[in-house]
Structures are given as C-alpha cells and as structure tokens.
Amino acid sequence: MHCERFICILRIIGTTLFGVSLLLGITAAYIVGYQFIQTDNYYFSFGLYGAFLASHLIIQSLFAFLEHRKMKKSLETPIKLNKTVALCIAAYQEDPDYLRKCLQSVKRLTYPGIKVVMVIDGNSDDDLYMMDIFSEVMGRDKSATYIWRNNFHEKGPGETDASHKESSQHVTQLVLANKSVCIMQKWGGKREVMYTAFRALGRSVDYV
C-alpha cells in the first residue's frame, strides 16, 4: 500500500517536472530563435523551437501507445466478480410507470448473486400498488414481501416491546434469506427506509 502510494507520488512529481522543463525549454527556444536548417527567405526552416515541439509530440505518442497497451491488457484479464452486493431501493408514493421501469432495469442486472431490497415508506392501502409492482416485475415466486406495522425505531399501534423485537427479527431474517425482498413499513422518512435495509443486511454483503 505504501509502495503504491510512493510510486504514485513519484509519477506526479516526474510528470510535473517534465511539463515544467518542456515549457521552459520551448519558451527559451522561441526567444533564442536558433535555426538548424533554413532556406533563403525562410520558406523552410527547422530550429530549436521546432525540435522541442517535435520531441514533445514523439514523447506524447510513446506514452499514449504504452497506456493503450496497458489498457488493452487489463481488458483481456478476466474480472473476478467475487464481492457480494445488495441494491437498496427507497420508495415513497412513486409513479407506477417509473417504478416499473426502475425494477425492470434492476432485473436485467447480470452481477452474480446481487440482492435487491426495496423498502416502502408507508404501509397503508394507498401504498400497496408499489408492492404489487415489485412482485409482478421481480416474480411472485422469486421474491418475498412483508407489510410491517412499525419500523426499527417506532412501534405500531398497540404493539409491545416483545412483539416489536419479534417483528424486527422477522424482517432481518426475511432480508437475509431472500434474493429479492419488498418491505412496507410505518412512515418515517427516507432515512428510516434506508436504515431498515442497512440494518437488516448488516454485514451479510460486501457492498450496499
């Protein structure tokens, strides 16, 4: 790690010094105006200034060629997709068409083993259409859904501490056990929705 950082710093310093020296060299050559080859009336001439510009062009082309080879080699190296990823979607009174397009786009993702967690901010009858769209697009037999009377921070009407703890554990297990999950929960704002996904996932994935 320290070695890579040191090399990176050296490259920055070297590139800066090269650019400054080239600029000073071109400026000096322009001021001096020395000519290596010239014809009468200066119809053709090649001087120190032209030599610096030509050298700059050759060096740039060389570095571009080397970078191109490096990029081509990196593209030929197989990418190891061995990190686990979860995609979290926060939904609140979404436009049905846009939500459907969003989920269809998600379904087309080809990353191996990606987990999809959609949390709806609201658990009333007016919010059910979003869960229906999720089940329709992701597949009713391939996804899990749950209408939660509360959320991680607030209990539902007439709920006890024990039942709240039980439902919280159920949500967590549901998220961990399924590849596609949709949860409707008590309204609490976008941060509460995101918190539910993060809390339920815990350390089960590498990236969220």
Side-chain angles (χ1 to χ4, degrees):
M1 183 71 179
H2 292 294
C3 184
E4 290 180 3
R5 188 176 180 183
F6 180 70
I7 292 172
C8 181
I9 292 171
L10 284 179
R11 288 182 65 180
I12 293 171
I13 294 172
T15 304
T16 304
L17 289 175
F18 172 75
V20 171
S21 60
L22 186 67
L23 179 62
L24 292 174
I26 289 175
T27 305
Y30 182 79
I31 293 171
V32 172
Y34 180 79
Q35 300 295 321
F36 295 118
I37 303 171
Q38 66 183 52
T39 59
D40 294 337
N41 298 320
Y42 291 94
Y43 287 119
F44 173 80
S45 65
F46 183 75
L48 190 60
Y49 180 72
F52 266 104
L53 289 178
S55 301
H56 181 221
L57 181 62
I58 292 169
I59 292 169
Q60 271 194 325
S61 301
L62 174 64
F63 282 125
F65 173 73
L66 293 173
E67 185 66 21
H68 178 71
R69 281 188 61 185
K70 183 180 176 183
M71 289 178 65
K72 189 177 180 182
K73 189 176 180 181
S74 67
L75 289 173
E76 292 171 353
T77 305
I79 300 173
K80 295 180 181 178
L81 303 176
N82 55 2
K83 297 295 184 181
T84 53
V85 178
L87 180 62
C88 300
I89 304 170
Y92 173 71
Q93 298 182 0
E94 305 296 336
D95 180 282
D97 292 334
Y98 287 142
L99 180 60
R100 185 173 282 103
K101 288 177 181 177
C102 168
L103 294 171
Q104 287 170 345
S105 177
V106 168
K107 194 175 181 180
R108 287 194 293 267
L109 294 174
T110 57
Y111 192 92
I114 189 170
K115 185 186 287 284
V116 181
V117 181
M118 186 170 95
V119 185
I120 299 170
D121 193 19
N123 56 5
S124 68
D125 292 342
D126 293 336
D127 300 310
L128 275 171
Y129 73 94
M130 289 179 281
M131 181 175 280
D132 290 336
I133 292 173
F134 182 89
S135 299
E136 173 196 328
V137 176
M138 305 306 290
R140 297 186 187 279
D141 56 333
K142 297 179 180 179
S143 59
T145 59
Y146 182 66
I147 300 176
W148 199 7
R149 289 188 298 168
N150 47 310
N151 55 49
F152 273 110
H153 291 120
E154 290 186 39
K155 290 183 288 186
E159 201 169 32
T160 63
D161 290 338
S163 62
H164 179 259
K165 183 179 180 181
E166 185 180 343
S167 63
S168 298
Q169 290 174 343
H170 178 71
V171 167
T172 301
Q173 291 301 318
L174 202 66
V175 170
L176 294 177
N178 293 275
K179 186 179 176 182
S180 299
V181 185
C182 178
I183 297 166
M184 289 175 59
Q185 68 177 29
K186 184 178 181 180
W187 181 87
K190 186 178 180 180
R191 282 182 292 185
E192 192 66 52
V193 169
M194 294 171 67
Y195 179 81
T196 295
F198 298 158
R199 169 76 178 270
L201 286 164
R203 297 188 179 184
S204 63
V205 292
D206 295 309
Y207 299 105
V208 177

